[in-house]
């Protein structure tokens, strides 16, 4: 099993298998989740001082803040899947 790593901006990378959800930070419940996480010490701020545009909830209970849009991060998950499929197809054609 290969570990898939996703760039969440500014050279910060998370393990794709550990991400439960990617959501926007605009709603009051999400803001509460972030504040509760700060109080518990489980927030990882990867925004480099920029505005938080995506909140990643990890299976470890950590909350990762990113300055990238949720759609951008989600597309990076899909791009990695597409690349994996292409590389598997290339391997199959090389073996023939």
């Amino acid at each position: 099993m290969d570990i898939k790593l996703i760039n969440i901006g500014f050279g910060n990378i998370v393990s794709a298998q550990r991400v439960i959800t990617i959501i926007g930070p605009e709603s009051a419940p999400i803001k509460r989740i972030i504040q509760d996480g700060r109080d518990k010490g489980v927030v990882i701020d990867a925004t480099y001082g920029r505005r938080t545009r995506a909140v990643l909830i990890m299976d470890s209970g950590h909350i990762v803040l990113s300055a990238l849009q949720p759609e951008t991060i989600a597309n990076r998950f899909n791009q990695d899947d597409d690349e994996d499929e292409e590389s598997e197809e290339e391997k199959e054609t090389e073996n023939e």
Side-chain angles (χ1 to χ4, degrees):
M1 180 171 125
D2 292 334
I3 296 175
K4 292 183 185 176
L5 300 174
I6 304 296
N7 184 332
I8 60 165
F10 306 107
N12 297 297
I13 298 170
V14 297
S15 173
Q17 292 88 349
R18 310 279 322 251
V19 175
I20 294 174
T21 188
I22 306 168
I23 47 181
E26 297 84 19
S27 71
I30 302 308
K31 289 178 182 178
R32 259 193 311 277
I33 288 172
I34 294 169
Q35 189 55 53
D36 290 348
R38 284 189 200 280
D39 295 342
K40 293 177 185 174
V42 295
V43 171
I44 301 168
D45 189 344
T47 62
Y48 280 73
R50 290 172 174 80
R51 182 172 159 234
T52 299
R53 295 199 167 142
V55 179
L56 291 81
I57 309 294
M58 311 300 285
D59 65 354
S60 63
H62 287 87
I63 300 163
V64 181
L65 308 178
S66 173
L68 298 180
Q69 293 286 349
E71 295 83 14
T72 303
I73 298 171
N75 287 338
R76 292 180 181 187
F77 276 84
N78 294 335
Q79 286 173 352
D80 286 351
D81 291 343
D82 293 344
E83 290 172 7
D84 289 346
E85 289 174 8
E86 289 174 12
S87 64
E88 288 176 13
E89 290 171 2
E90 289 173 6
K91 288 178 187 174
E92 289 175 6
T93 53
E94 288 175 2
N95 291 337
E96 292 176 354

